[in-house]
Amino acid sequence: MGWRRVLSGVGLAVLVGTLPACGGAEATASGAPGAGTPGLTPQEGQCRAAGWQRTVLSAGGLERPVLWKLPAGWRGEAVLVMHGGGGSYTNFCVANAAEIAAQPKFSELALARGLAVFLLDSHDQVTDRLGRVCGKVWDDEVRARDNLDLPYIDVVLRELVPGLRPAGGRTDTFLVGHSSGGYMAVRAASRFADRVTAVAPVASGDPYGWTRDCTRRAGDRANVAGAGYDNDTGRQITEPGACAAVRFANEQPWDTAPGTRRPGFRVFHHANDGINDLSCTERVRTQLVAHGFAETAPFTLQGGARSAALHYWLDEYNAPIVEFLLGWQR
């Protein structure tokens, strides 16, 4: 069946998940969900103490963890959440810094509305096109080598979530991602379009229209190196108007299979984001529409001076994202 918009209702569950399998045979689940795992970080321990389960998956030759939580009376919908670059999946289950306080609130709200929440974690071995290590970011652009994250997302959708879902339950799957995670969410939604009901990228842009240069620069965070550039303007995405190309001649081919039903989408952004310029959000909107994805009008916050702080995941996003997800079903 195709996707259709519905009025949201209390108790509708959401799965933020990945799309049709990419790298399929490489990705398999191992271990029982929630099984005890030695060597947890303090933040992972805090999440476990708060009732989150942790599963480690084998995907693309890497061991990849997932933190997940099911609401009481779960109907089967789920939400797969991808954190921002330099962050961690634990950002969405525990906040030890004020800057990320809004992120676990999103998970709490989603669970309260009946949504299962699956938190995915980026790897720290992503490299750019010249083999330079980028740090702890998502593999969120098109490169000649195999993608590190699509097999991971695939196994979450293909094995982990279906193995937990109640018999005869709903199968709606949603993707949510922030910054680098938003780029990855769009990449996954395009690759696995037949498995995704809707996608909500936050403060992000077009994974087929940008390139990372991971040369380490003065002022880079310890766990992230380099900068991102628009493929057509050649400008860094932090610059005003960076992605405002007249034409998109250097857009990479999209992964979406011909004839595949496209998910719905809504972009969430602040107009004065100083890290990912609004023009880069406009670029991904244009491309999603051009590739047949059904748009809900953008959610754009206004006010304040242009700054890096307005790139953060903000409290104002939480309820509108959940309502958007609840408004879609298969």
Side-chain angles (χ1 to χ4, degrees):
M1 297 176 62
W3 311 123
R4 61 191 179 89
R5 293 223 47 201
V6 297
L7 294 176
S8 59
V10 174
L12 179 63
V14 181
L15 168 97
V16 191
T18 314
L19 327 178
C22 152
E26 298 182 303
T28 57
S30 62
T37 304
L40 297 182
T41 67
Q43 293 80 10
E44 287 171 329
Q46 287 177 283
C47 293
R48 294 286 284 118
W52 289 83
Q53 302 300 310
R54 184 176 184 272
T55 298
V56 176
L57 309 174
S58 179
L62 300 171
E63 298 298 299
R64 306 294 298 268
V66 180
L67 285 162
W68 55 271
K69 201 171 194 179
L70 309 180
W74 185 37
R75 291 176 49 186
E77 296 99 333
V79 54
L80 244 141
V81 182
M82 301 175 212
H83 63 80
S88 165
Y89 64 158
T90 60
N91 293 163
F92 279 87
C93 52
V94 61
N96 294 322
E99 292 82 359
I100 62 170
Q103 295 180 38
K105 290 179 182 179
F106 170 78
S107 297
E108 293 165 7
L109 179 60
L111 287 161
R113 296 295 303 272
L115 313 176
V117 180
F118 293 78
L119 308 179
L120 278 62
D121 201 31
S122 67
H123 205 273
D124 62 0
Q125 294 303 307
V126 172
T127 56
D128 68 12
R129 295 180 183 184
L130 295 181
R132 295 169 295 217
V133 176
C134 304
K136 198 170 186 306
V137 297
W138 294 94
D139 204 1
D140 51 15
E141 65 167 286
V142 178
R143 300 176 175 97
R145 58 168 174 76
D146 291 340
N147 189 280
L148 298 185
D149 293 321
L150 290 172
Y152 170 41
I153 296 169
D154 172 35
V155 75
V156 175
L157 291 179
R158 180 164 48 83
E159 297 186 20
L160 180 59
V161 174
L164 296 169
R165 184 173 279 134
R170 298 195 57 81
T171 59
D172 291 293
T173 297
F174 303 92
L175 298 175
V176 171
H178 176 231
S179 191
S180 175
Y183 281 81
M184 194 68 222
V186 171
R187 180 78 196 275
S190 62
R191 171 64 71 93
F192 306 125
D194 61 344
R195 299 189 203 178
V196 175
T197 304
V199 58
V202 179
S204 65
D206 179 8
Y208 297 95
W210 82 318
T211 303
R212 287 184 185 273
D213 176 342
C214 295
T215 302
R216 183 160 287 280
R217 308 168 305 161
D220 281 351
R221 290 173 288 175
N223 66 346
V224 178
Y229 298 85
D230 183 83
N231 283 356
D232 289 289
T233 68
R235 297 168 63 190
Q236 191 174 341
I237 62 170
T238 56
E239 299 177 42
C243 302
V246 176
R247 48 195 291 270
F248 302 116
N250 294 313
E251 182 81 2
Q252 296 296 306
W254 280 48
D255 290 338
T256 315
T260 304
R261 179 74 65 178
R262 276 39 168 182
F265 81 94
R266 188 180 196 187
V267 297
F268 293 78
H269 204 82
H270 197 292
N272 292 319
D273 183 337
I275 298 296
N276 190 90
D277 186 66
L278 183 61
S279 65
C280 301
T281 297
E282 290 299 322
R283 175 169 183 147
V284 76
R285 277 188 66 209
T286 298
Q287 293 300 324
L288 284 163
V289 170
H291 286 85
F293 288 70
E295 182 181 25
T296 296
F299 182 90
T300 304
L301 293 172
Q302 303 285 346
R306 183 182 179 87
S307 70
L310 296 180
H311 182 66
Y312 295 162
W313 181 291
L314 303 171
D315 272 322
E316 291 87 344
Y317 295 137
N318 288 341
I321 291 173
V322 171
E323 291 304 320
F324 165 70
L325 300 179
L326 293 175
W328 285 85
Q329 72 175 42
R330 281 197 285 189

